[in-house]
Amino acid sequence: MSAPSGAMRERVRIAIQKSGRLAEPARALLSSCGLSWRESRDRLFCHGDSTPIDLLLVRDDDIPGLLAEGTCDLGIVGRNVLLERASGYGTGEVPPFREWRGLGFGACRLALAVPQAWSDSQAAALDGLRIATSYPALVSQWLKERGIAADVVTLSGSVEIAPRLGTADLICDIVSSGATLAANQLRATDIVLDSEAVLAGPVAPFGDARAEIAGLFLRRLDAVLGLRDSKLLMFQTDSANVPALMALLPDAERPTVMQVDGTDRVALQAVCRGTVTWQRLEDLKRAGADALLVLPVERMLA
Ligand code: PRP
Ligand code: ZN
Protein backbone atom coordinates (compact mmCIF):
# COMPACT_ATOMS: atom_id res chain seq x y z
CA MET A 1 0.00 0.00 0.00
CA SER A 2 2.93 2.37 0.37
CA ALA A 3 4.58 2.45 -3.04
CA PRO A 4 6.95 5.40 -3.29
CA SER A 5 5.36 8.31 -5.13
CA GLY A 6 7.68 8.15 -8.11
CA ALA A 7 6.98 4.45 -8.79
CA MET A 8 4.97 3.29 -11.80
CA ARG A 9 1.57 2.16 -10.64
CA GLU A 10 -1.22 0.27 -12.29
CA ARG A 11 -3.99 1.13 -9.88
CA VAL A 12 -5.48 4.42 -8.76
CA ARG A 13 -6.04 5.30 -5.12
CA ILE A 14 -8.82 7.66 -4.13
CA ALA A 15 -8.78 9.07 -0.61
CA ILE A 16 -12.11 9.93 0.98
CA GLN A 17 -13.19 10.97 4.46
CA LYS A 18 -13.50 7.96 6.78
CA SER A 19 -16.35 9.48 8.78
CA GLY A 20 -17.97 12.87 8.75
CA ARG A 21 -20.14 15.01 6.54
CA LEU A 22 -18.56 13.99 3.22
CA ALA A 23 -18.05 10.28 3.90
CA GLU A 24 -21.37 8.81 2.83
CA PRO A 25 -22.11 11.07 -0.17
CA ALA A 26 -18.55 10.52 -1.45
CA ARG A 27 -18.99 6.74 -1.36
CA ALA A 28 -22.41 6.98 -2.97
CA LEU A 29 -20.99 9.10 -5.78
CA LEU A 30 -18.16 6.66 -6.43
CA SER A 31 -20.62 3.74 -6.39
CA SER A 32 -22.78 5.48 -8.96
CA CYS A 33 -19.66 5.64 -11.14
CA GLY A 34 -19.61 1.84 -11.03
CA LEU A 35 -16.84 1.48 -8.44
CA SER A 36 -17.08 -1.23 -5.82
CA TRP A 37 -14.66 -2.50 -3.18
CA ARG A 38 -13.87 -5.37 -0.96
CA GLU A 39 -14.36 -4.08 2.58
CA SER A 40 -11.21 -4.52 4.61
CA ARG A 41 -11.16 -5.35 8.28
CA ASP A 42 -9.26 -2.23 9.30
CA ARG A 43 -11.54 -0.10 7.10
CA LEU A 44 -8.61 2.06 6.04
CA PHE A 45 -7.84 0.58 2.64
CA CYS A 46 -10.45 -1.04 0.40
CA HIS A 47 -9.32 -2.93 -2.66
CA GLY A 48 -11.28 -2.02 -5.83
CA ASP A 49 -13.23 -4.95 -7.29
CA SER A 50 -14.94 -3.73 -10.43
CA THR A 51 -12.21 -1.28 -11.47
CA PRO A 52 -8.50 -0.88 -10.57
CA ILE A 53 -9.45 1.95 -8.23
CA ASP A 54 -8.78 1.47 -4.51
CA LEU A 55 -10.16 3.50 -1.61
CA LEU A 56 -8.21 5.04 1.22
CA LEU A 57 -10.35 6.07 4.21
CA VAL A 58 -8.73 8.95 6.07
CA ARG A 59 -9.28 12.21 7.94
CA ASP A 60 -10.40 14.84 5.41
CA ASP A 61 -7.71 17.27 6.62
CA ASP A 62 -5.03 14.73 5.66
CA ILE A 63 -6.13 14.42 2.04
CA PRO A 64 -4.15 17.36 0.54
CA GLY A 65 -0.98 16.09 2.24
CA LEU A 66 -1.57 12.53 0.99
CA LEU A 67 -2.01 13.91 -2.53
CA ALA A 68 1.13 16.02 -2.23
CA GLU A 69 3.27 13.07 -1.15
CA GLY A 70 1.70 10.74 -3.74
CA THR A 71 0.22 8.32 -1.20
CA CYS A 72 -3.10 8.78 -2.97
CA ASP A 73 -3.75 9.82 -6.57
CA LEU A 74 -7.15 11.47 -6.20
CA GLY A 75 -9.17 12.68 -3.24
CA ILE A 76 -12.65 13.86 -2.37
CA VAL A 77 -12.33 16.73 0.04
CA GLY A 78 -13.89 20.08 0.91
CA ARG A 79 -12.67 22.97 -1.24
CA ASN A 80 -11.99 24.77 2.08
CA VAL A 81 -9.49 22.11 3.17
CA LEU A 82 -7.84 21.96 -0.25
CA LEU A 83 -7.45 25.73 -0.63
CA GLU A 84 -6.21 26.17 2.92
CA ARG A 85 -3.41 23.72 2.23
CA ALA A 86 -2.70 25.27 -1.18
CA SER A 87 -2.48 28.77 0.38
CA GLY A 88 0.16 27.43 2.73
CA TYR A 89 2.59 27.07 -0.19
CA GLY A 90 4.89 30.09 -0.37
CA THR A 91 5.12 32.49 -3.29
CA GLY A 92 6.91 30.85 -6.20
CA GLU A 93 5.92 27.37 -5.00
CA VAL A 94 3.12 25.64 -6.88
CA PRO A 95 0.96 23.17 -4.93
CA PRO A 96 1.21 19.73 -6.62
CA PHE A 97 -2.59 19.25 -6.37
CA ARG A 98 -5.61 21.16 -7.62
CA GLU A 99 -9.38 20.96 -7.84
CA TRP A 100 -10.47 18.77 -10.76
CA ARG A 101 -14.24 18.95 -10.37
CA GLY A 102 -16.83 20.50 -8.05
CA LEU A 103 -19.07 17.67 -6.91
CA GLY A 104 -22.28 19.43 -5.91
CA PHE A 105 -22.60 18.10 -2.35
CA GLY A 106 -21.29 19.08 1.07
CA ALA A 107 -22.09 22.74 0.46
CA CYS A 108 -20.92 25.01 3.28
CA ARG A 109 -19.34 28.40 3.88
CA LEU A 110 -16.17 29.49 5.61
CA ALA A 111 -17.56 32.50 7.46
CA LEU A 112 -16.66 34.97 10.16
CA ALA A 113 -18.93 34.68 13.17
CA VAL A 114 -19.28 37.05 16.08
CA PRO A 115 -21.11 36.84 19.44
CA GLN A 116 -24.84 37.38 18.86
CA ALA A 117 -24.79 40.35 21.23
CA TRP A 118 -22.45 42.35 18.97
CA SER A 119 -23.89 45.22 16.96
CA ASP A 120 -23.32 45.38 13.19
CA SER A 121 -20.85 48.25 13.57
CA GLN A 122 -18.93 46.28 16.18
CA ALA A 123 -18.79 43.29 13.81
CA ALA A 124 -17.51 45.51 11.01
CA ALA A 125 -14.53 46.93 12.93
CA LEU A 126 -12.10 44.04 13.18
CA ASP A 127 -8.77 45.87 13.52
CA GLY A 128 -6.88 44.71 16.57
CA LEU A 129 -9.27 41.81 17.31
CA ARG A 130 -8.36 38.12 17.61
CA ILE A 131 -9.97 35.65 15.18
CA ALA A 132 -9.86 31.94 16.06
CA THR A 133 -9.84 29.58 13.09
CA SER A 134 -8.59 26.27 11.69
CA TYR A 135 -8.06 28.04 8.36
CA PRO A 136 -5.25 30.52 9.15
CA ALA A 137 -3.95 30.83 5.57
CA LEU A 138 -7.35 31.58 4.02
CA VAL A 139 -8.33 33.98 6.79
CA SER A 140 -4.99 35.84 6.72
CA GLN A 141 -5.26 36.23 2.97
CA TRP A 142 -8.84 37.54 3.26
CA LEU A 143 -7.81 40.05 5.94
CA LYS A 144 -4.80 41.17 3.93
CA GLU A 145 -6.89 41.76 0.80
CA ARG A 146 -9.11 44.06 2.86
CA GLY A 147 -6.33 45.78 4.74
CA ILE A 148 -7.66 44.59 8.12
CA ALA A 149 -5.09 44.27 10.88
CA ALA A 150 -6.63 41.49 13.00
CA ASP A 151 -4.75 38.67 14.74
CA VAL A 152 -5.32 35.12 13.58
CA VAL A 153 -5.34 32.51 16.37
CA THR A 154 -4.93 29.01 14.93
CA LEU A 155 -6.95 26.27 16.65
CA SER A 156 -7.29 22.72 15.37
CA GLY A 157 -10.77 22.11 16.77
CA SER A 158 -13.60 23.46 18.95
CA VAL A 159 -13.12 26.86 17.39
CA GLU A 160 -16.68 27.85 18.26
CA ILE A 161 -16.03 28.02 21.99
CA ALA A 162 -13.01 30.34 21.70
CA PRO A 163 -15.00 33.58 22.23
CA ARG A 164 -16.57 32.20 25.42
CA LEU A 165 -13.20 31.00 26.70
CA GLY A 166 -11.70 34.38 25.94
CA THR A 167 -8.99 32.97 23.65
CA ALA A 168 -10.39 35.02 20.74
CA ASP A 169 -12.96 37.75 20.10
CA LEU A 170 -14.59 36.14 17.09
CA ILE A 171 -14.13 33.07 14.89
CA CYS A 172 -13.90 32.07 11.27
CA ASP A 173 -15.22 28.55 10.74
CA ILE A 174 -17.22 26.26 8.51
CA VAL A 175 -20.96 26.85 8.63
CA SER A 176 -23.22 24.24 7.13
CA SER A 177 -26.66 24.12 8.79
CA GLY A 178 -25.74 26.89 11.22
CA ALA A 179 -26.57 24.70 14.24
CA THR A 180 -23.06 24.92 15.72
CA LEU A 181 -23.08 28.72 15.62
CA ALA A 182 -26.58 28.92 17.11
CA ALA A 183 -25.65 26.54 19.92
CA ASN A 184 -22.72 28.80 20.78
CA GLN A 185 -24.61 32.11 20.57
CA LEU A 186 -22.67 33.23 17.51
CA ARG A 187 -23.88 34.70 14.23
CA ALA A 188 -22.22 34.60 10.82
CA THR A 189 -21.17 37.88 9.19
CA ASP A 190 -18.80 37.88 6.20
CA ILE A 191 -18.33 34.86 3.96
CA VAL A 192 -14.65 34.15 3.29
CA LEU A 193 -15.23 31.17 0.96
CA ASP A 194 -18.14 29.22 -0.53
CA SER A 195 -17.24 25.58 -0.38
CA GLU A 196 -18.45 22.14 -1.44
CA ALA A 197 -16.90 18.72 -1.89
CA VAL A 198 -14.46 18.58 -4.80
CA LEU A 199 -12.47 15.95 -6.61
CA ALA A 200 -8.82 16.85 -6.16
CA GLY A 201 -6.00 15.45 -8.22
CA PRO A 202 -2.42 16.15 -9.22
CA VAL A 203 -1.37 19.13 -11.33
CA ALA A 204 1.01 16.97 -13.38
CA PRO A 205 -0.46 14.21 -15.58
CA PHE A 206 0.03 10.58 -14.57
CA GLY A 207 2.91 9.04 -16.49
CA ASP A 208 1.70 5.45 -16.32
CA ALA A 209 -1.40 3.23 -16.43
CA ARG A 210 -3.11 5.54 -13.94
CA ALA A 211 -3.69 8.09 -16.73
CA GLU A 212 -6.09 5.76 -18.52
CA ILE A 213 -7.83 4.62 -15.33
CA ALA A 214 -8.31 8.18 -14.13
CA GLY A 215 -9.57 9.17 -17.58
CA LEU A 216 -12.19 6.42 -17.54
CA PHE A 217 -13.25 7.42 -14.03
CA LEU A 218 -13.56 11.11 -15.02
CA ARG A 219 -15.73 10.27 -18.03
CA ARG A 220 -18.08 8.29 -15.80
CA LEU A 221 -18.04 11.01 -13.14
CA ASP A 222 -18.89 13.72 -15.66
CA ALA A 223 -21.77 11.61 -16.96
CA VAL A 224 -23.08 11.08 -13.41
CA LEU A 225 -22.71 14.77 -12.47
CA GLY A 226 -24.32 15.88 -15.72
CA LEU A 227 -27.31 13.63 -15.18
CA ARG A 228 -27.97 14.56 -11.59
CA ASP A 229 -31.17 16.54 -12.24
CA SER A 230 -31.90 15.04 -15.64
CA LYS A 231 -35.23 13.42 -16.38
CA LEU A 232 -36.61 11.69 -19.43
CA LEU A 233 -39.81 13.49 -20.36
CA MET A 234 -42.39 11.80 -22.62
CA PHE A 235 -45.76 12.99 -23.85
CA GLN A 236 -48.16 12.98 -26.80
CA THR A 237 -49.70 15.94 -28.59
CA ASP A 238 -51.15 17.16 -31.90
CA SER A 239 -48.31 17.95 -34.33
CA ALA A 240 -49.47 21.57 -34.52
CA ASN A 241 -48.61 22.05 -30.82
CA VAL A 242 -44.97 20.96 -31.11
CA PRO A 243 -43.39 24.42 -31.64
CA ALA A 244 -45.25 25.91 -28.65
CA LEU A 245 -44.33 22.94 -26.47
CA MET A 246 -40.68 23.06 -27.47
CA ALA A 247 -40.58 26.71 -26.45
CA LEU A 248 -41.47 25.53 -22.93
CA LEU A 249 -38.56 23.06 -22.97
CA PRO A 250 -35.39 25.08 -23.57
CA ASP A 251 -33.37 22.49 -21.62
CA ALA A 252 -34.59 19.51 -23.67
CA GLU A 253 -31.78 17.85 -25.55
CA ARG A 254 -32.33 16.61 -29.12
CA PRO A 255 -35.96 15.58 -28.64
CA THR A 256 -37.26 12.60 -30.58
CA VAL A 257 -40.61 13.17 -32.30
CA MET A 258 -42.47 10.08 -33.53
CA GLN A 259 -45.63 10.00 -35.56
CA VAL A 260 -48.47 8.09 -33.88
CA ASP A 261 -49.73 5.66 -36.55
CA GLY A 262 -52.59 6.87 -38.74
CA THR A 263 -53.15 10.16 -36.88
CA ASP A 264 -51.70 13.66 -36.91
CA ARG A 265 -50.55 13.14 -33.37
CA VAL A 266 -46.95 12.74 -32.26
CA ALA A 267 -45.18 11.16 -29.32
CA LEU A 268 -42.26 13.19 -28.09
CA GLN A 269 -39.40 12.24 -25.79
CA ALA A 270 -36.48 14.31 -24.56
CA VAL A 271 -33.92 14.39 -21.76
CA CYS A 272 -34.42 17.56 -19.70
CA ARG A 273 -31.41 18.86 -17.81
CA GLY A 274 -33.36 21.10 -15.46
CA THR A 275 -35.75 20.03 -12.73
CA VAL A 276 -39.12 18.94 -14.11
CA THR A 277 -41.52 20.41 -11.58
CA TRP A 278 -45.30 19.96 -11.35
CA GLN A 279 -45.56 23.56 -12.52
CA ARG A 280 -43.72 22.74 -15.74
CA LEU A 281 -45.91 19.69 -16.36
CA GLU A 282 -49.06 21.78 -15.89
CA ASP A 283 -47.74 24.40 -18.34
CA LEU A 284 -47.08 21.66 -20.90
CA LYS A 285 -50.56 20.23 -20.37
CA ARG A 286 -52.12 23.64 -20.98
CA ALA A 287 -50.10 23.94 -24.20
CA GLY A 288 -51.62 20.70 -25.49
CA ALA A 289 -49.46 17.88 -24.11
CA ASP A 290 -51.06 14.77 -22.64
CA ALA A 291 -50.00 11.35 -21.41
CA LEU A 292 -47.08 13.10 -19.70
CA LEU A 293 -44.50 10.82 -18.18
CA VAL A 294 -41.32 11.79 -16.27
CA LEU A 295 -38.68 9.10 -15.74
CA PRO A 296 -35.35 9.18 -13.93
CA VAL A 297 -32.27 8.78 -16.12
CA GLU A 298 -29.91 6.21 -14.69
CA ARG A 299 -27.08 6.22 -17.20
CA MET A 300 -26.22 7.99 -20.40
CA LEU A 301 -23.25 7.57 -22.69
CA ALA A 302 -23.20 10.21 -25.39
C1 PRP B 1 -17.59 22.11 10.64
C2 PRP B 1 -17.36 23.19 11.69
C3 PRP B 1 -18.49 23.00 12.67
C4 PRP B 1 -19.56 22.34 11.85
C5 PRP B 1 -20.61 23.32 11.42
O1 PRP B 1 -16.80 21.02 10.84
O2 PRP B 1 -16.11 23.10 12.30
O3 PRP B 1 -18.08 22.16 13.71
O4 PRP B 1 -18.96 21.77 10.70
O5 PRP B 1 -21.71 22.67 10.87
P1 PRP B 1 -23.18 23.18 11.18
O6 PRP B 1 -23.28 24.59 10.68
O7 PRP B 1 -24.07 22.25 10.38
O8 PRP B 1 -23.43 23.06 12.64
P2 PRP B 1 -16.46 20.01 9.62
O9 PRP B 1 -17.69 19.38 9.09
O10 PRP B 1 -15.61 20.71 8.64
O11 PRP B 1 -15.70 18.84 10.35
P3 PRP B 1 -14.18 18.70 10.79
O12 PRP B 1 -13.70 20.06 11.12
O13 PRP B 1 -14.27 17.75 11.93
O14 PRP B 1 -13.48 18.09 9.62
ZN1 ZN C 1 -11.81 17.71 9.17
Side-chain angles (χ1 to χ4, degrees):
M1 161 180 159
S2 52
S5 55
M8 300 285 273
R9 286 219 304 263
E10 298 190 336
R11 301 182 67 83
V12 164
R13 277 182 209 145
I14 303 187
I16 65 168
Q17 194 182 33
K18 185 173 160 63
S19 61
R21 267 188 309 135
L22 305 184
E24 272 318 304
R27 267 179 173 253
L29 179 65
L30 295 177
S31 299
S32 59
C33 293
L35 276 56
S36 63
W37 312 270
R38 226 175 296 150
E39 291 297 330
S40 67
R41 215 163 323 134
D42 63 3
R43 293 244 312 140
L44 295 175
F45 181 84
C46 305
H47 187 267
D49 266 340
S50 51
T51 52
I53 302 179
D54 304 320
L55 263 197
L56 211 50
L57 302 171
V58 297
R59 280 186 53 215
D60 59 340
D61 311 63
D62 293 338
I63 292 176
L66 294 169
L67 280 167
E69 68 191 34
T71 304
C72 66
D73 304 306
L74 301 172
I76 293 180
V77 64
R79 180 178 293 132
N80 50 304
V81 172
L82 194 71
L83 287 180
E84 172 66 21
R85 190 54 97 84
S87 310
Y89 283 77
T91 38
E93 284 179 308
V94 180
F97 50 77
R98 64 176 173 81
E99 177 175 329
W100 278 17
R101 296 288 189 280
L103 298 177
F105 66 87
C108 62
R109 303 174 301 283
L110 178 62
L112 293 181
V114 302
Q116 280 166 358
W118 284 22
S119 68
D120 287 345
S121 56
Q122 216 175 343
L126 302 179
D127 279 304
L129 298 184
R130 294 160 307 158
I131 307 177
T133 188
S134 308
Y135 299 88
L138 290 174
V139 176
S140 301
Q141 194 183 322
W142 187 88
L143 291 169
K144 194 173 152 206
E145 283 163 11
R146 283 157 189 79
I148 302 170
D151 290 324
V152 175
V153 179
T154 305
L155 298 179
S156 58
S158 306
V159 170
E160 61 277 4
I161 59 169
R164 262 188 298 157
L165 296 180
T167 43
D169 303 296
L170 66 151
I171 68 169
C172 186
D173 200 12
I174 293 300
V175 183
S176 172
S177 65
T180 304
L181 291 189
N184 290 280
Q185 292 94 49
L186 298 168
R187 66 178 174 95
T189 57
D190 295 278
I191 294 172
V192 170
L193 177 78
D194 277 305
S195 185
E196 63 175 333
V198 303
L199 176 73
V203 168
F206 295 116
D208 53 25
R210 287 174 294 174
E212 200 180 317
I213 302 165
L216 171 92
F217 168 63
L218 271 190
R219 283 193 297 279
R220 289 188 186 181
L221 179 68
D222 286 339
V224 168
L225 295 176
L227 281 182
R228 217 158 235 185
D229 294 321
S230 295
K231 293 282 183 279
L232 178 66
L233 175 66
M234 301 165 80
F235 57 82
Q236 293 195 5
T237 191
D238 292 338
S239 348
N241 295 329
V242 170
L245 287 164
M246 289 319 296
L248 292 173
L249 295 168
D251 60 334
E253 283 179 13
R254 285 173 289 152
T256 313
V257 184
M258 292 160 287
Q259 195 76 39
V260 177
D261 257 357
T263 67
D264 64 348
R265 286 179 62 76
V266 292
L268 193 144
Q269 73 177 51
V271 171
C272 288
R273 294 291 181 169
T275 327
V276 183
T277 58
W278 280 107
Q279 177 72 53
R280 288 188 78 185
L281 291 182
E282 286 151 7
D283 291 346
L284 291 166
K285 179 115 191 138
R286 262 192 297 279
D290 52 44
L292 282 145
L293 207 57
V294 182
L295 300 170
V297 179
E298 193 165 299
R299 280 186 199 116
M300 197 157 97
L301 198 59

